[in-house]
């Protein structure tokens, strides 16, 4: 039995996917076990001149019912088992160009990789750190221009929103495409430090970015985490920090789970 330690689990997406694979969702099931016992009682009986011994049987039974309740973890395990048994998962980031070329959006993919939270993503999703930086700049007599202030305000608003996201990059090896994902902070089971480790990412492929194509980390298709005007300004800035960008080949994946 494989026991998984979940670093990330999108419970809603798991339920939606399982409902399609399993023709619905059952929340719990009742398991009934029956125990039967046959106890024999001995005695003597006189039958004819010789007599003899007889045994009388007494049968008793009991039923024990257990209610097995489904959990997010058990639902994912059922979904993943179904995907593997029906050959619905693809290890897209093995060093196989044919596999990569044949992938289509919507397919379920699995990748064992080194997970990294880029510094820009950490900063973007930590309002306390942003406020501390602006305060330190003020102490040293530095001020933000209007564009920088707008960016900081946008980062802070996003980090406090109900749909907070943190961007991660998964690196398999030097020759294989990377993966990039936007995680719901509400679905994280661990902190950033524990998230940065070798792990298996299972998710739905959204889009493939070909080799040589360069994108802003927060401006990837399906992962537009900043207002459009701010994304455009950051992408066009001549002095833009290169760590804010990522280059293909890579796959944009919506994760179901990381373990």
């Amino acid at each position: 039995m494989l026991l998984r330690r979940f670093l990330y689990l999108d419970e809603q997406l798991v339920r939606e996917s399982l409902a399609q694979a399993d023709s619905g969702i059952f929340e719990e099931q009742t398991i009934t076990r029956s125990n039967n016992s046959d106890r024999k009682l001995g005695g003597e009986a006189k039958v004819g001149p010789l007599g003899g011994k007889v045994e009388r049987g007494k049968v008793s039974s009991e039923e024990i019912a257990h209610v097995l309740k489904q959990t997010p973890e058990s639902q994912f395990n059922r979904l993943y088992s179904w995907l593997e048994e029906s050959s619905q998962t693809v290890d897209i980031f093995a060093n196989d160009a044919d596999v990569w070329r044949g992938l289509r959006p919507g397919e379920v993919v699995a990748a064992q990789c080194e997970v990294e939270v880029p510094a820009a993503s950490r900063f973007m999703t930590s309002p306390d750190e942003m406020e501390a930086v602006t305060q330190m700049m003020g102490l040293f007599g530095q001020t933000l221009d209007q564009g920088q202030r707008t960016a900081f305000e946008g980062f802070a608003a996003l980090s406090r929103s109900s749909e907070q996201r943190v961007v991660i990059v998964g690196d398999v090896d030097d020759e294989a495409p990377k993966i990039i994902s936007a995680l719901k902070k509400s679905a994280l089971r661990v902190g950033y430090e524990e998230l940065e480790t070798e792990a298996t990412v299972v998710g739905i492929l959204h889009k493939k970015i070909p080799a040589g194509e360069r994108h802003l980390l927060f401006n990837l298709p399906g992962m537009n985490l900043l207002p459009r005007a701010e994304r455009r300004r950051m992408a066009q800035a001549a002095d833009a920090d290169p760590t804010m960008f990522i280059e293909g080949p890579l796959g944009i994946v919506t994760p179901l789970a990381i373990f």
Side-chain angles (χ1 to χ4, degrees):
M1 182 179 182
L2 179 64
L3 296 178
R4 300 182 174 97
R5 178 178 181 246
F6 289 95
L7 309 178
Y8 176 88
L9 187 62
D10 188 335
E11 298 177 14
Q12 182 60 37
L13 187 56
V14 167
R15 285 175 59 84
E16 292 174 3
S17 302
L18 183 58
Q20 297 176 66
D22 210 19
S23 301
I25 292 285
F26 70 87
E27 301 294 344
E28 58 187 37
Q29 63 183 138
T30 301
I31 300 173
T32 303
R33 294 184 175 89
S34 296
N35 292 326
N36 296 317
S37 61
D38 185 359
R39 292 183 296 172
K40 294 182 178 180
L41 303 177
E44 293 186 356
K46 292 183 178 180
V47 181
L50 298 178
K53 291 186 177 181
V54 297
E55 292 184 338
R56 290 174 294 161
K58 184 178 180 181
V59 177
S60 65
S61 66
E62 63 178 352
E63 289 189 350
I64 302 173
H66 300 275
V67 176
L68 181 64
K69 186 174 178 62
Q70 293 291 303
T71 66
E73 295 80 6
S74 66
Q75 288 178 339
F76 174 81
N77 287 343
R78 286 181 55 228
L79 173 64
Y80 195 61
S81 294
W82 180 86
L83 290 168
E84 287 194 314
E85 290 167 5
S86 56
S87 301
Q88 297 294 321
T89 56
V90 183
D91 184 3
I92 60 172
F93 303 107
N95 188 17
D96 189 331
D98 292 335
V99 171
W100 172 250
R101 282 194 297 267
L103 276 171
R104 296 174 298 172
E107 291 194 79
V108 178
V109 298
Q112 187 166 352
C113 54
E114 287 288 339
V115 177
E116 176 192 3
V117 183
S121 181
R122 285 174 177 264
F123 181 71
M124 177 179 173
T125 54
S126 301
D128 294 338
E129 290 187 24
M130 287 187 282
E131 292 173 0
V133 169
T134 56
Q135 291 173 3
M136 288 295 294
M137 292 178 67
L139 290 175
F140 287 98
Q142 298 178 340
T143 59
L144 299 175
D145 60 31
Q146 185 57 42
Q148 291 172 325
R149 187 170 298 280
T150 300
F152 268 75
E153 290 172 355
F155 288 155
L158 179 65
S159 64
R160 293 190 178 93
S161 71
S162 60
E163 285 297 322
Q164 299 176 66
R165 297 287 197 275
V166 56
V167 174
I168 64 163
V169 177
D171 191 359
V172 180
D173 59 44
D174 293 337
E175 298 181 359
K178 290 182 172 62
I179 64 170
I180 186 167
S181 300
L183 307 184
K184 297 177 183 178
K185 288 183 72 176
S186 59
L188 280 170
R189 300 288 185 89
V190 297
Y192 293 160
E193 291 75 17
E194 290 185 82
L195 185 60
E196 290 192 313
T197 185
E198 184 174 345
T200 298
V201 179
V202 179
I204 302 168
L205 179 66
H206 177 77
K207 188 178 179 64
K208 295 186 295 185
I209 302 298
E213 195 169 302
R214 184 170 177 260
H215 285 267
L216 186 68
L217 271 174
F218 309 109
N219 192 30
L220 286 155
M223 288 177 49
N224 296 327
L225 304 179
L226 292 174
R228 181 178 300 175
E230 184 55 33
R231 297 198 307 265
R232 186 181 301 113
R233 188 196 71 79
M234 293 175 67
Q236 295 175 350
D239 57 348
D241 187 342
T243 63
M244 295 287 286
F245 294 84
I246 191 167
E247 187 172 309
L250 58 92
I252 302 171
V253 174
T254 302
L256 290 157
I258 302 174
F259 51 85

